[in-house]
Amino acid sequence: GAGVSQSPSNKVTEKGKDVELRCDPISGHTALYWYRQRLGQGLEFLIYFQGNSAPDKSGLPSDRFSAERTGESVSTLTIQRTQQEDSAVYLCASSSYSHQPQHFGDGTRLSIL
Amino acid sequence: AQSVSQHNHHVILSEAASLELGCNYSYGGTVNLFWYVQYPGQHLQLLLKYFSGDPLVKGIKGFEAEFIKSKFSFNLRKPSVQWSDTAEYFCAPSGGGYQKVTFGTGTKLQVIP
């Protein structure tokens, strides 16, 4: 069946521009996570959605970062006024419930010039 | 606050050597435990999981992990590693209910032929 889908797969943009990253989770998965993975480093938690509960935004690094999720479907991660340190792979994962195994997308590789 | 600690950041082994990667967590009460693996150029995938029952769980590719409640540990083991096990390994505990999963910083394993 279909897995977690992320788009775009690659994004190159100039410093100061806004970017929007999209995640389509597996249908029926109530939990959705966004992570950031810088080159050669581990996963950095950004935000967690669980059903209709208020999202856990504790990992967002600054107010330039925001994310939305409509119900239990698609989510978008928006980065405003991008900086070079935002360059990374942004990963989305979903699971049927928060404590079930996560299924990861292929990520969006973001490069800020 | 919930936390997870992976003690080894980078491990280098020769083929056929035994492997043990440490993972300690700070959750009290119910805990669900995962190990994920990221092979070079691939996305994260589940290696094994523990929810309840037998504390020794077996995963894919000959990996196993033991849940020791008294030590708050969930160490990953493999009796004899192969070159194809070269990857990054992440321990990821979760509390009960709808608590989010927290990823450790990861351990890079390099297996030398």
Side-chain angles (χ1 to χ4, degrees):
Chain A
V4 176
S5 177
Q6 291 188 246
S7 60
S9 54
N10 282 283
K11 177 72 175 178
V12 181
T13 192
E14 294 179 345
K15 177 182 170 181
K17 300 286 189 183
D18 296 352
V19 295
E20 188 173 280
L21 312 180
R22 177 186 171 104
C23 172
D24 282 282
I26 293 172
S27 178
H29 279 193
T30 62
L32 186 148
Y33 297 78
W34 282 98
Y35 299 94
R36 178 168 69 180
Q37 189 171 31
R38 291 195 168 108
L39 187 63
Q41 298 188 20
L43 286 177
E44 179 184 359
F45 165 75
L46 296 178
I47 189 168
Y48 160 56
F49 296 90
Q50 171 55 58
N52 294 318
S53 301
D56 179 345
K57 303 179 181 180
S58 60
L60 295 178
S62 76
D63 59 7
R64 297 187 295 105
F65 288 72
S66 62
E68 293 184 350
R69 187 183 187 194
T70 307
E72 295 182 354
S73 62
V74 65
S75 175
T76 55
L77 175 69
T78 302
I79 309 173
Q80 296 178 310
R81 306 181 303 281
T82 52
Q83 304 293 314
Q84 287 188 331
E85 63 263 27
D86 298 336
S87 295
V89 175
Y90 289 82
L91 292 166
C92 177
S94 72
S95 62
S96 53
Y97 292 99
S98 61
H99 55 280
Q100 294 290 334
Q102 295 181 38
H103 298 260
F104 283 82
D106 290 331
T108 294
R109 185 174 299 277
L110 177 64
S111 301
I112 309 300
L113 303 178
Chain B
Q2 301 158 345
S3 67
V4 54
S5 175
Q6 292 185 242
H7 317 299
N8 317 100
H9 297 293
H10 197 178
V11 173
I12 302 174
L13 294 173
S14 298
E15 276 192 316
S18 64
L19 170 72
E20 181 161 3
L21 301 182
C23 172
N24 286 89
Y25 59 91
S26 65
Y27 293 66
T30 302
V31 63
N32 301 304
L33 296 155
F34 305 89
W35 276 96
Y36 286 84
V37 59
Q38 187 172 30
Y39 297 103
Q42 297 185 28
H43 60 226
L44 279 142
Q45 58 186 283
L46 182 69
L47 194 58
L48 50 77
K49 63 185 179 185
Y50 170 80
F51 286 172
S52 63
D54 188 344
L56 184 63
V57 293
K58 296 191 184 297
I60 60 172
K61 303 186 180 183
F63 285 90
E64 64 180 32
E66 186 174 13
F67 169 55
I68 303 179
K69 188 174 181 179
S70 61
K71 295 184 178 179
F72 296 91
S73 71
F74 190 56
N75 293 354
L76 181 70
R77 300 195 294 248
K78 185 171 184 178
S80 176
V81 295
Q82 301 173 321
W83 175 78
S84 58
D85 294 325
T86 295
E88 189 160 15
Y89 294 82
F90 295 90
C91 179
S94 169
Y98 292 110
Q99 294 184 53
K100 70 176 186 286
V101 173
T102 300
F103 278 78
T105 52
T107 297
K108 289 185 172 66
L109 172 65
Q110 183 180 356
V111 180
I112 301 170

